[in-house]
Amino acid sequence: MDNAISVSHLNYHYADSDRLALNDINFDVAAGEWVAIIGHNGSGKSTLAKNLNGLLAPDSGTVEVAGMTLSEDTVWDIRSKIGIVFQNPDNQFVGATVADDIAFGLENRGVPRPEMVERVKDALARVKMTDFADREPARLSGGQKQRVAIAGIIAQQPEIIILDESTSMLDPAGRQEVLATINQLRDELGLTVLSITHDIEEAAGAHRIILLNDGQIKEVGTPEEIFAHGSELLELGLDVPYAAKLKEALSERGVKLPDGYLNEERLVDYLWTLHSTM
Amino acid sequence: MNKLLLGRYVPGDSWVHHLDPRTKLLASFYYIGIIFLANNWQTYLLMFIVTLFIIYLSKINISFFLRGVRPLIWLILFTVTLQILFSRGGTVYFHWGWFWLTEYGLINGAYIFMRFVLIIFMSTLLTLTTQPLSLADAVESLLKPLKLLHFPVVELALVLQIALRFVPTLMDQTTKIMNAQRARGVDFGTGNIFQQMKAVVPLLIPLFVSSFTTAEDLATAMESRGYQGGDNRTKFRVLKYHNSDIIAGVFMVALTVALVLLKN
């Protein structure tokens, strides 16, 4: 498979700071892959997302998205391939009603109205918000607004979805629902998903994790590889998944467990075998 | 805060609700214009019958309209009183210094009272039966000819739409900041006028700053969703005239003719 995103030697610094916000970033994301970007506050996660679709222009380095190199000429083409769902659902709601908001991106691209109506309807159905089409944003909950934001991106039919801490303001149930929706879309449409997150359980479900620290890539690896570091992650200002915490607590109490990260399922399996051999 | 005129829209399913917002906007202005044609009791009676008939068609309870008059009642009474006390002519009932209570004065006072009520009823009807959003669409559509004069109609419409969309959001935020400052000991609405004005500062400045954040976030979100300015955009929302709009237009013309025939 081709690379959906490929970044090499990316540097970026904000005008009011002499520190590099992004320092020599290199990574590739394969088409159809779900990659999580984790890191503490101020590690450069959101800056990275904005560099990918040209909202911020890199100081040096190249960004390639869907076969196009990011430049002034390609920036709008690249934006049509990448959909970003931002953190605060209120501040990214442009339209006066749900349907208007979903149509906003399509209007911008001059999609003819009959097709627009179809795509809005389809996007609403995918996020299960069909009954809310005429609602105003003030009458929606945070989770519902976030789902509308996702529907707005889906309607644009991008190849890549970037979730910039989009689930951070949701309750656990809403978060799970949104992630399930995105996952389902990824399966159906072959989307590439880049999720920037503080939610460690969300990251644990990704194919690969990019660990950012102070503007640099500390490590790229599968969740198993990353979470095998255990308490080292805590020193980087990050959390570890529940299964890893449980494993640690068990080994402190003398239960012998294999090295490396076990996800919940494998931990359950192992504990179950452990019990049966006794 | 919930007394705000905007967004007092009453959802309904009546003939008036389904009229095109452009028709409603134009017809309301036109109606307010032709009220000034009325100058005797026949014409005012006609206007009242017509207004009550339209209100009946809108299926909205008359109490909403009376509530619309209430905040303006002092202005109305003040104007009517002045009119009664200072107009002269016809039979004089009472006379003391500057003040005259005359036949013409009473009649004029009554006319002005009715004129006020009719105007308020009609503008209330417009806001009650039309969503602010459709009104914004109507304004955009009606201003379209100004494009020829290089007036930025599309941008104005976008600004109007975003402003309307953020009214409730900003109100929520205002309430939140007010409560947050109250919890920290700020006393809103007490003391003399200077103290009260000073108390508003801790409300206004955070609101102002948070508007900047919102504006930046919104601009980022709009740009990443491909917004490149007003040109070459298609529209999701379209306005269409129907038969009922023609009926409304014909009705307005008929009303004007009737008024012209009946007036002095």
Side-chain angles (χ1 to χ4, degrees), chain A:
Chain A
M1 265 297 223
D2 293 337
N3 283 335
I5 302 173
S6 125
V7 174
S8 65
H9 303 294
L10 177 70
N11 286 301
Y12 183 84
H13 84 283
Y14 285 99
D16 53 359
S17 143
D18 16 303
R19 201 176 64 88
L20 282 173
L22 295 174
N23 188 353
D24 196 35
I25 302 286
N26 294 289
F27 69 91
D28 296 317
V29 178
E33 202 178 11
W34 180 308
V35 173
I37 300 179
I38 60 173
H40 58 82
N41 285 333
S43 60
K45 305 186 298 292
S46 295
T47 312
L48 179 59
K50 286 181 185 165
N51 267 286
L52 293 181
N53 81 342
L55 285 171
L56 297 175
D59 294 349
S60 62
T62 52
V63 175
E64 239 176 83
V65 175
M68 292 177 283
T69 308
L70 182 64
S71 71
E72 218 150 288
D73 301 326
T74 56
V75 66
W76 293 104
D77 291 327
I78 284 181
R79 277 181 200 166
S80 72
K81 303 275 184 203
I82 299 188
I84 304 189
V85 184
F86 293 98
Q87 183 174 8
N88 186 330
D90 244 322
N91 295 359
Q92 58 181 309
F93 206 113
V94 188
T97 66
V98 168
D100 285 298
D101 188 63
I102 296 172
F104 180 75
L106 304 177
E107 291 178 323
N108 290 337
R109 288 208 261 133
V111 174
R113 189 168 184 278
E115 194 191 332
M116 197 142 62
V117 174
E118 277 305 306
R119 275 160 77 167
V120 169
K121 217 164 86 182
D122 176 62
L124 275 170
R126 281 184 187 279
V127 297
K128 302 190 184 69
M129 289 285 289
T130 308
D131 299 338
F132 297 86
D134 295 322
R135 285 278 183 100
E136 288 113 47
R139 292 169 60 215
L140 296 175
S141 73
Q144 288 170 332
K145 273 181 251 188
Q146 205 61 271
R147 275 197 264 171
V148 174
I150 290 168
I153 301 301
I154 294 168
Q156 297 196 48
Q157 301 173 345
E159 290 171 22
I160 301 155
I161 288 190
I162 300 180
L163 305 170
D164 187 356
E165 297 186 32
S166 345
T167 55
S168 61
M169 291 177 124
L170 304 183
D171 59 12
R175 182 175 304 182
Q176 249 163 26
E177 229 174 291
V178 163
L179 289 176
T181 309
I182 302 258
N183 227 337
Q184 195 193 343
L185 285 169
R186 199 184 60 80
D187 288 344
E188 276 174 38
L189 310 171
L191 290 172
T192 309
V193 180
L194 206 61
S195 86
I196 294 170
T197 182
H198 279 294
D199 180 22
I200 219 70
E201 306 295 336
E202 181 183 330
H207 295 139
R208 275 195 307 153
I209 293 178
I210 295 173
L211 177 56
L212 274 182
N213 187 40
D214 290 333
Q216 281 174 306
I217 291 188
K218 176 112 176 139
E219 197 177 337
V220 181
T222 60
E224 283 79 11
E225 288 163 7
I226 299 285
F227 293 132
H229 296 309
S231 47
E232 278 172 48
L233 292 174
L234 296 173
E235 284 157 32
L236 292 173
L238 294 165
D239 204 2
V240 287
Y242 174 72
K245 281 186 200 156
L246 182 62
K247 195 186 132 193
E248 194 143 333
L250 284 172
S251 50
E252 270 173 29
R253 283 166 181 72
V255 181
K256 279 212 165 84
L257 289 164
D259 288 340
Y261 170 69
L262 300 172
N263 63 24
E264 242 165 87
E265 204 180 326
R266 278 170 51 206
L267 189 64
V268 169
D269 274 352
Y270 187 81
L271 289 174
W272 172 76
T273 355
L274 193 71
H275 190 256
S276 73
T277 52
M278 277 183 7

Side-chain angles (χ1 to χ4, degrees), chain A residues 53 55 76 79 86 90-96 99-101 103-105 107-108 110-111 113 116 138 156, chain B residues 131 133 161 165-166 168-169 214 217-218 220-228 232-238:
Chain A
N53 81 342
L55 285 171
W76 293 104
R79 277 181 200 166
F86 293 98
D90 244 322
N91 295 359
Q92 58 181 309
F93 206 113
V94 188
D100 285 298
D101 188 63
F104 180 75
E107 291 178 323
N108 290 337
V111 174
R113 189 168 184 278
M116 197 142 62
Q156 297 196 48
Chain B
Q131 277 175 299
L133 180 62
Q161 189 203 323
R165 173 247 169 283
F166 273 96
T169 312
T214 308
D217 282 357
L218 187 70
T220 310
M222 282 171 69
E223 217 179 314
S224 69
R225 279 162 75 181
Y227 181 76
Q228 292 183 69
N232 308 322
R233 293 186 82 220
T234 43
K235 279 193 73 79
F236 178 63
R237 216 168 245 292
V238 283

